[in-house]
Amino acid sequence: DVKVTQSSRYLVKRTGEKVFLECVQDMDHENMFWYRQDPGLGLRLIYFSYDVKMKEKGDIPEGYSVSREKKERFSLILESASTNQTSMYLCATTGYGNTIYFGEGSWLTVV
Amino acid sequence: QQQVKQSPQSLIVQKGGISIINCAYENTAFDYFPWYQQFPGKGPALLIAIRPDVSEKKEGRFTISFNKSAKQFSLHIMDSQPGDSATYFCAASMLVKAAGNKLTFGGGTRVLVKP
């Protein structure tokens, strides 16, 4: 079974803080993704990476950055958190197959 | 601009009934259409998927119907059970092997099956 682990499940941060969300996968997959999930809007792609040190912007990259120094780890960074970034964040991974595997999500509240 | 539009946002169905969720897409280059199921506190998990070369795919009580000319696809849950209560997302993508499978999701449908 593919395991996608998001180490921080629930976080509360203050406006202006720098926030790191970490994701680790154990299947040696090339591709990793960060999505944001909001009610009524579904899942929206923030950034994705198809190789170490490679990254590409998704549909809503503003206010976010990412880092992929190792194949198994993909980090989402909020340089200066704002209240409109309160959301659930989902990490996902896929190899060359069709199926995307998701982590269990990180709930972020910015106050 | 939402490239994949999903309806309804929520639905309630009696146990044993049929749940129907509809999606419409705009990008004719999409060639892979999966449905994901998400239980509270969990990430979405692949339920069933279809390619545009077939009009219907069935797996157990779950069926995808696909209408290429109308750019629409739907999920039917037959004999709905309380354990099917979850949020369902349709999605679409272009299968590009080198860059993985970058999905565009619909807004989600919360399904509640009453016993």
Side-chain angles (χ1 to χ4, degrees):
Chain A
D1 270 1
V2 175
K3 193 162 179 63
V4 182
T5 303
Q6 295 181 234
S7 51
S8 300
R9 293 298 312 277
Y10 302 95
L11 306 94
V12 179
K13 298 291 182 180
R14 294 193 180 279
T15 300
E17 275 193 82
K18 191 169 185 176
V19 182
F20 292 87
L21 298 179
E22 302 285 338
C23 176
V24 177
Q25 52 104 352
D26 67 353
M27 285 302 292
D28 201 36
H29 282 171
E30 291 80 9
N31 309 301
M32 297 188 76
F33 307 82
W34 275 105
Y35 284 89
R36 169 176 172 162
Q37 182 176 355
D38 299 289
L41 297 177
L43 283 71
R44 294 178 292 167
L45 182 63
I46 305 171
Y47 266 97
F48 66 102
S49 166
Y50 52 87
D51 202 352
V52 175
K53 297 192 185 293
M54 303 295 287
K55 61 184 179 184
E56 287 201 21
K57 293 179 180 180
D59 299 319
I60 52 164
E62 295 79 18
Y64 303 95
S65 62
V66 290
S67 172
R68 191 159 181 208
E69 296 296 320
K70 294 184 177 181
K71 191 174 185 179
E72 68 271 19
R73 189 179 297 270
F74 193 35
S75 302
L76 180 69
I77 303 158
L78 288 67
E79 293 290 342
S80 178
S82 64
T83 55
N84 63 13
Q85 292 178 309
T86 291
S87 187
M88 184 165 91
Y89 292 88
L90 285 161
C91 175
T93 179
T94 184
Y96 281 118
N98 298 342
T99 304
I100 285 187
Y101 299 91
F102 285 91
E104 295 199 327
S106 297
W107 289 93
L108 172 66
T109 300
V110 183
V111 297
Chain B
Q1 181 189 7
Q2 201 166 22
Q3 290 194 54
V4 179
K5 294 185 179 178
Q6 183 171 346
S7 62
Q9 283 195 324
S10 64
L11 70 93
I12 300 173
V13 62
Q14 291 294 131
K15 179 182 174 182
I18 302 174
S19 304
I20 302 174
I21 306 170
N22 300 299
C23 284
Y25 63 97
E26 297 171 4
N27 189 343
T28 55
F30 286 150
D31 59 2
Y32 174 67
F33 303 90
W35 285 88
Y36 278 77
Q37 181 187 53
Q38 183 181 32
F39 293 107
K42 300 291 185 183
L46 179 67
L47 182 65
I48 186 172
I50 197 168
R51 298 291 305 276
D53 51 349
V54 297
S55 60
E56 187 174 282
K57 183 173 181 180
K58 184 176 179 179
E59 288 185 5
R61 296 182 294 106
F62 299 91
T63 300
I64 300 179
S65 297
F66 184 80
N67 185 330
K68 189 173 181 178
S69 61
K71 293 188 288 184
Q72 294 176 347
F73 58 110
S74 61
L75 177 70
H76 295 231
I77 307 174
M78 312 300 287
D79 187 25
S80 297
Q81 300 296 312
D84 298 332
S85 296
T87 299
Y88 293 82
F89 293 96
C90 63
S93 74
M94 293 173 281
L95 285 176
V96 179
K97 271 199 168 182
N101 199 351
K102 193 158 65 89
L103 290 170
T104 299
F105 285 86
T109 298
R110 183 173 290 184
V111 174
L112 175 64
V113 181
K114 287 194 167 182

